Amino acid sequence: MVAIGTVGLGGPGALGGGALIGEIDEAGAPRPPAGRRWQRPPAWRLVILVIAFLFYAFPFAAAVKYSLVQSDGSFGFNNYSQIVSDGAVRDSLYTSLEISAIAAVAVVLLMLPTVVLVRLRLPRLTLLLEGVTILPLVVPPIVLASGLAHLQGSAPEWLVKLWFNHPLTGLTPTYVVLAMPFSYRAIDTGVRAIDLRTLVDASRSLGASWFMTLTRVILPNVETAVLGAIFLTVALCMGEVVLSSIMLYNNVLPVEMIQVGASSPGVSVAISILALVFVFVLLFSLSFLARRRRGSTSVRVI
Amino acid sequence: MIRFEGVQRHYGSVAALAGLDLEIADGELVALLGPSGCGKTTALRILGGFDHPTAGRLLVDGRDITGVPANKRDMGMVFQAYSLFPNMDVRNNVAFGLRMRRQDKASRLQRADELLELVGLVEHADRYPHQLSGGQQQRVAIARALAIEPKVLLLDEPLSALDARVRAQLRVEIRNLQQRLGITTLFVTHDQSEALSMADRVGVMQSGRLEQLDTPENVYRHPATAFAAEFVGAMNRLPGRMGDAGDVQVLGQRLSVLNPDGREPGAPVQALLRPEAVSVVRDTAGAGEVTQRTFLGASVRLEVVLDGGQKVLVEASSHDVGVEVGTRVGLRILADAVVVASPGVAPDPEATPVVA
């Protein structure tokens, strides 16, 4: 049962998130003109829809039911209230959220200006950048993990104190790097979809500084893409297990979930469900933002 | 006043601008005209601060602005591509420049409405760019460029993406607006009729050089070089020979030469003659035969093939010409001065003008 919960956010979770973003994009695409007569879809489509729905809904419903079973066999919210009352779980949730927030901000601050700079001034570096950003996917995570663990073991004490002593400093930079394949592509696709040079020139000629051009002109027009990058980064931070457990950061949410799962599986599943709900809320707010400007050209996130 | 002083721009070994000297007086509209790749857009982008000269200086009212970044130059620019910010409505697009100048919200939005009034789009102020037609978008772009009360207005082929009817209309509107506000304007185009009809002075450019800078009438009637002659308007090339006194003999007539350039007497040249500078007379012993006749309303365009195989385009008033295809005609040249080109130098295919 634990596995069901972690799949939503675990290592493969990042890829699952990718697929979900694709669906959002469809929602933002131009819809058929209103007033077109609604036609009953053929029966086989309904059948497929129902099967697919059951395929996803059944394990989820089972997990919800399981999380509601209390230790004495009755139904209740004990497992959920334990998340709040269990200090370790709460703290690990906060830590993971902090890591997510900082990593998401760092990804945007790093990637958006880089992509804009390369597109405008250094187009010859595009290939190099594409190569570099794909590296975290090409190099197996275990290599990265053992490399970091080795560094952790052999680094001078001041560096260990500065960098590795806390998961915030130890994991956030690593997650920013791990998120690069997704964040770069999401933002690059968004920037490609706008007439960057003309917008930048127009903004500059009207007296805007580079900062104003980035924040007032470029960012709002690649909003969906940037949100996509943020979402993927958050999903990665909330679900990554391999690195954090190898580097012995036990007080982050995914590792904590596994530990709790060993002693009280109900609580672990409850956390998974909450995490899933969190992701859905994130997704819906994303699609809401994407649809806010209706009729504007849809920007593919991935 | 704007001054380009020996401005050069090299991309590697390619010279996009090979030393441009140009002065634009206050309130003047200068059009740079030339085929693509002639350096006209580079000149405009350098003035706008989007590109930087490899050598030379740029002066505005005597002040050197060569190193001033684009956002400090006070130049309003209208682009060829639609350049409105998609995330802002029309009013906020127009007010953007004032917002960057920290003007308070109420006054900048009021100013935006005034400018939208000027371009006749005030009722569209709440729309977003994607809800406007191309012509409307370019009008908003003009209002946005004017909102910051720029010293100079830069127009980078702003009409080329529009359809013909809107283009003709906007051409008149832009010119009226420019004259009313008395704003110094640099206009870049590859459309000769646009340049001739809108500009105070037209600069014809080729390969990074200014070939001629003069009033539209002079550029048309007294082209300085063969290139300028052939890029602006339709042109005949007729073989002739240089005479002793800087003149040329063409079709048995003596004409003075506008660009002798030290050519030897007796040297073979080609005289460049506009279709309307040639007339036909019905003559059974004439030198050529009418092979094509196109009625254009006010005028008739005839293609005459001389006995040597040389084709000559003739444009004459439709009232005077009563010749049909197959009629033998004699040719008479009405101009008394022509530009000559060296024979064998084929006209640049890209420079071949569209016969209007």
Side-chain angles (χ1 to χ4, degrees), chain B residues 14 31 54 90 98 118 143 149 218 262 281 320 325 328 349 352:
Chain B
V14 183
T54 318
V90 164
L98 301 173
L118 202 64
E149 295 176 26
N218 280 343
V281 281
D320 308 338
V325 171
R328 295 291 303 182
T352 307

Side-chain angles (χ1 to χ4, degrees), chain B residues 291-312:
Chain B
T291 54
Q292 226 179 63
R293 181 179 190 277
T294 314
F295 181 67
L296 300 171
S299 63
V300 176
R301 179 157 287 182
L302 302 171
E303 188 188 86
V304 177
V305 176
L306 302 181
D307 293 338
Q310 169 83 36
K311 276 185 192 165
V312 184

Side-chain angles (χ1 to χ4, degrees), chain B residues 51-348:
Chain B
D51 202 343
H52 298 284
T54 318
R57 291 201 307 163
L58 207 58
L59 304 171
V60 173
D61 296 332
R63 195 167 70 93
D64 189 340
I65 61 156
T66 317
V68 177
N71 60 329
K72 306 267 185 231
R73 284 203 182 182
D74 255 350
M75 300 205 177
M77 180 148 171
V78 180
F79 298 84
Q80 177 177 9
Y82 300 136
S83 63
L84 298 183
F85 305 130
N87 57 312
M88 301 174 202
D89 63 20
V90 164
R91 185 181 285 120
N92 278 302
N93 257 289
V94 177
F96 183 82
L98 301 173
R99 186 169 158 205
M100 291 303 116
R101 283 163 176 70
R102 300 181 194 286
Q103 207 175 90
D104 67 275
K105 192 166 181 175
S107 73
R108 72 177 186 242
L109 292 184
Q110 194 196 338
R111 175 86 184 124
D113 280 350
E114 284 168 26
L115 279 148
L116 287 172
E117 187 92 55
L118 202 64
V119 296
L121 282 173
V122 75
E123 72 276 18
H124 292 83
D126 296 320
R127 299 215 181 161
Y128 280 85
H130 68 266
Q131 297 169 310
L132 302 180
S133 70
Q136 288 170 332
Q137 288 197 40
Q138 288 307 64
R139 279 202 201 131
V140 175
I142 292 164
R144 182 177 69 176
L146 292 173
I148 57 173
E149 295 176 26
K151 279 200 205 75
V152 185
L153 184 62
L154 305 174
L155 304 174
D156 182 12
E157 309 206 20
L159 306 178
S160 63
L162 307 175
D163 63 59
R165 204 174 51 83
V166 182
R167 195 157 57 209
Q169 188 190 344
L170 258 184
R171 199 190 274 181
V172 178
E173 279 181 34
I174 291 178
R175 178 58 165 162
N176 284 344
L177 206 59
Q178 184 268 333
Q179 284 180 322
R180 219 162 85 202
L181 302 174
I183 185 166
T184 314
T185 305
L186 183 64
F187 181 66
V188 155
T189 180
H190 62 265
D191 181 331
Q192 43 136 333
S193 59
E194 227 166 78
L196 293 179
S197 65
M198 290 172 72
D200 293 307
R201 285 190 299 160
V202 175
V204 182
M205 291 190 72
Q206 187 202 12
S207 318
R209 287 182 193 286
L210 199 55
E211 296 264 317
Q212 183 174 18
L213 179 67
D214 212 329
T215 61
E217 293 203 348
N218 280 343
V219 167
Y220 190 79
R221 287 189 208 289
H222 305 292
T225 64
F227 176 81
E230 289 189 281
F231 190 74
V232 180
M235 200 53 97
N236 285 307
R237 274 176 169 254
L238 299 177
R241 246 171 222 293
M242 291 297 286
D244 299 330
D247 57 350
V248 63
Q249 188 134 9
V250 187
L251 297 176
Q253 279 180 261
R254 265 182 196 288
L255 311 166
S256 64
V257 173
L258 289 167
N259 61 336
D261 296 345
R263 285 189 173 85
E264 299 286 321
V269 290
Q270 291 197 306
L272 304 176
L273 277 167
R274 300 230 179 262
E276 65 269 25
V278 185
S279 77
V280 292
V281 281
R282 200 188 273 271
D283 183 356
T284 44
E289 188 178 310
V290 176
T291 54
Q292 226 179 63
R293 181 179 190 277
T294 314
F295 181 67
L296 300 171
S299 63
V300 176
R301 179 157 287 182
L302 302 171
E303 188 188 86
V304 177
V305 176
L306 302 181
D307 293 338
Q310 169 83 36
K311 276 185 192 165
V312 184
L313 278 180
V314 178
E315 193 161 327
S317 163
S318 54
H319 291 290
D320 308 338
V321 179
V323 294
E324 297 301 325
V325 171
T327 313
R328 295 291 303 182
V329 289
L331 293 179
R332 211 162 66 78
I333 296 167
L334 303 174
D336 44 12
V338 293
V339 173
V340 295
S342 299
V345 182
D348 181 354

